[in-house]
Amino acid sequence: MEATLSRSIGVSKGSNSALPQKVLVPELFEEARHLLGSEPTQAALKELLSILEENFLHKFASDVDRDHLFQCAHLVVARAGIMGFEALGSACSDLQHACATGAQFHSEFARARTAAFVTHDAIACLLKPKTT
């Protein structure tokens, strides 16, 4: 699954030094799908996709306030972790920390935004109907 996903979204291990090596940990994703079931997994993917679109894909660091960004990053860390989206979870964890400590968060937001774009593509691949 990881090789197919990597080819589909054009990302391979180590292809972007700003992101951790794995966009998706297939074992974690399969475990979540097994525990949740197919339909709830699809719903969770769609919900995460929506969160990414609303809060990262069409925004820049100057467009959001620190408190909103903290809450959004916190939500994404939990959801990404459950579903196995390692790069997104890691980037949003760093963003959450920067927001919580009052540090500048522009570079963390940029990294989270990049991870959101890559994860968005991965989710789109996972949501595609399987052809036989």
Side-chain angles (χ1 to χ4, degrees):
M1 175 176 37
E2 183 178 13
T4 302
L5 186 60
S6 294
R7 281 193 306 273
S8 299
I9 63 175
V11 174
S12 61
K13 288 185 177 184
S15 67
N16 184 341
S17 61
L19 293 174
Q21 289 186 337
K22 287 189 180 251
V23 172
L24 176 69
V25 178
E27 298 83 11
L28 291 177
F29 180 76
E30 289 303 326
E31 184 177 333
R33 187 185 342 220
H34 176 74
L35 292 171
L36 296 173
S38 185
E39 288 182 31
T41 298
Q42 296 290 314
L45 288 171
K46 289 176 184 176
E47 186 175 6
L48 183 55
L49 199 64
S50 177
I51 292 167
L52 297 179
E53 289 170 353
E54 291 173 21
N55 296 286
F56 290 101
L57 303 187
H58 306 293
K59 300 216 181 211
F60 297 94
S62 59
D63 296 337
V64 293
D65 69 59
R66 183 178 298 274
D67 291 334
H68 174 78
L69 203 51
F70 173 84
Q71 294 298 326
C72 179
H74 181 73
L75 178 66
V76 171
V77 166
R79 304 214 177 188
I82 290 169
M83 300 304 289
F85 294 106
E86 187 176 271
L88 182 63
S90 175
C92 285
S93 178
D94 291 345
L95 176 60
Q96 180 183 0
H97 179 73
C99 289
T101 61
Q104 289 292 324
F105 60 84
H106 292 78
S107 63
E108 287 81 3
F109 182 83
R111 185 169 157 246
R113 191 168 187 261
T114 299
F117 274 103
V118 174
T119 301
H120 183 276
D121 291 347
I123 292 172
C125 289
L126 291 168
L127 289 173
K128 280 184 185 176
K130 293 181 182 178
T131 56
T132 54

